[in-house]
Amino acid sequence: MIRTGLLLLSYSLLFQKAKAQVTLPSFGKPIREELELKNCYFDPGADAMKLIDFQEKEVIVDFGLKVKTEHRVKIKIFNERGFKYASISIPYISKIKGTKITDLSAYIHYLDEKGNTISEKVEKNQVFRDKESDAVKKIRFTFPNVKPGCVIEYRYEKTEKNSLYLDPWFFQDMIPTKYSGFALTLPSAIQMQARLMGIDSVYRNDKWDRGEQLSFPTIIRTYGLENVAAFKPEAMMSSLADNLKRVEFAIQPSSLDMASLLMGEEKWKLYAYLLNGLPNFGKQFNHPVPGTTELIDSVKKIPGREEKINFLYQEVKKRVKWDESQTFYPGNLEEVWKEGSGSSADINLLILNLLRRSGIPCSPVLVSTRENGKVDASFFSLSQFNGLDVLLLDSSGNYVLDGTQKYQSYKTPPANILNRYVLCVDTANVNWMLISDSRPLLKTLLHVNAELLENGQIKGSATITFFDHSKVQRILDGKKTKEEEREEEKEFIRKDFIDLNIDSLEVFDKDDDLLPMRESFVFSHEPSSSGEFLFLDPFFLSNFRKNPFTDSARQTSIDFISRQYMMTSMIINLPPSYEIDFVPKNIKLRMADSSILFLRNIRIMDHSVHFMNVMEVLYPLFETDEYPGLRDFFTRMYAMLAEQIVLKKK
């Protein structure tokens, strides 16, 4: 208890010093009080905690902007469940920003059986550099001799060239953080704005450095925060980025001083004007790409506008592989077409270029995907965006195209920006737009014909039809690893079938983006029984997950992505030897505002069971104050899902 008190006092003194200058304990040196720490006092029960998470970031004006970051992390591991935090992975995009990670160093400290302090350094041959794609790389390593009570720490330096923005500082994580700090060194020629997200205040200190003669003065801005509780993810929340406590930054070179005189939309118009003037951005909108002339000639022979759009959309997806880098700033289209690989911005700007050169008007839109978080029109920063999509607007149909969405029709808005705002940066029409769709884009229909045999087994055939985003998710589910399958899904009415033997599976229209996908199969199923009673679950083929809304309170909003619709239609013929003992009541359950509907209808006709169920989500977004009503609805609905038809053997 005394040692714990000394540790807390030392960190308190550390934070007081941070108000003038950040002074951290020596790197690579064990601290016995940390090794003897048994629990996180401000967030009890944590499996691990960050003792230190500190970044020093410097913006350098060197024939463009270069950002240099030194990152240091120190973690205390309390138990075996915390071992996963000793496996470190540092992803970075090397192609777009020319990012390099250097000077990596790591140590583990622990007490041996005799209570002696042991420190081990992670050697170079224990650090691996993986290439996940043409653009995304990853440094990974695992600390040796990890055990409960140990402390691990690592640091590295990252350099990004041609950076147009600063990444947010996240001072909250999935484990609690004792001290989180961020120091930014910025030339006075660059203006900066910052906004707090998820918290009202953090410590901040500004210090000016006049520097040497003939050099720009710099400002060193330091942020600090102590005792940050871990973030607890909740089922079907929008994204981590929307909910983690953080500081976001907007930097602006002195050449844009006039922007400070502009108000609201005029600022975004200025940004659009500047982007349209950049060689790798607006100058490529209409510029001929060598090697594409033959493709353009083929498009011009296609009579219909929508057929032209689909043809170009599909051709780009076939010819250019996505390198997994998600960005709004493209490279050189000539190189992208030649190499057959590119970022999200490369692929979508290529689609825009080919559409325009084929006589189809379209506009570039800056987007922020769900994973990246929501944008704010009042925060004048390109750092909010991580993607470039293509917008087509006219009387025959409005579409948003994203060529990285491999199995998606151009007529369906990408799920990663649905119900999110995007910024059109076409200088003729700079404006914010909400990407929405009134259709149930997560739509699944299940039709079943079956019979109950004398031995109590059910045999039959089924057809499942997947529409739009449900089709895409179904295809991607088949490509997931076991670890990915355990991750939380957004569409709560999906899961793998259980207790089924499936045979003769046929898949139709999987490769045609414009058509729904159908899966047809024959199956056998063993219902549960007890003595002379047999229990028929009407939902044995329906894809309902475990109730995601069982917590009494909630901190985050609920995001169903889009409207959802699931319908099950089933006919089961019964043999003469069975009779109906119990049938659940037909029911229609609605939310008070009719935002969600659950319908069950069961009829007994000619010794057969006719069952129909509809589950429909009409409003995809719910705020936290709506949670009590949502939770009550799902509690009642899942109670009804548990009700079974009871058959009795004559």
Side-chain angles (χ1 to χ4, degrees), residues 331-345:
N332 185 281
L333 293 189
E334 181 177 348
E335 295 178 3
V336 172
W337 185 256
K338 183 178 179 180
E339 296 175 3
S341 175
S343 69
S344 61

Side-chain angles (χ1 to χ4, degrees), residues 243-263:
N243 293 288
L244 288 177
K245 295 179 173 64
R246 63 198 183 277
V247 177
E248 295 183 349
F249 304 96
I251 58 175
Q252 179 180 296
S254 59
S255 58
L256 295 182
D257 281 346
M258 61 179 294
S260 61
L261 304 176
L262 301 176
M263 299 296 290

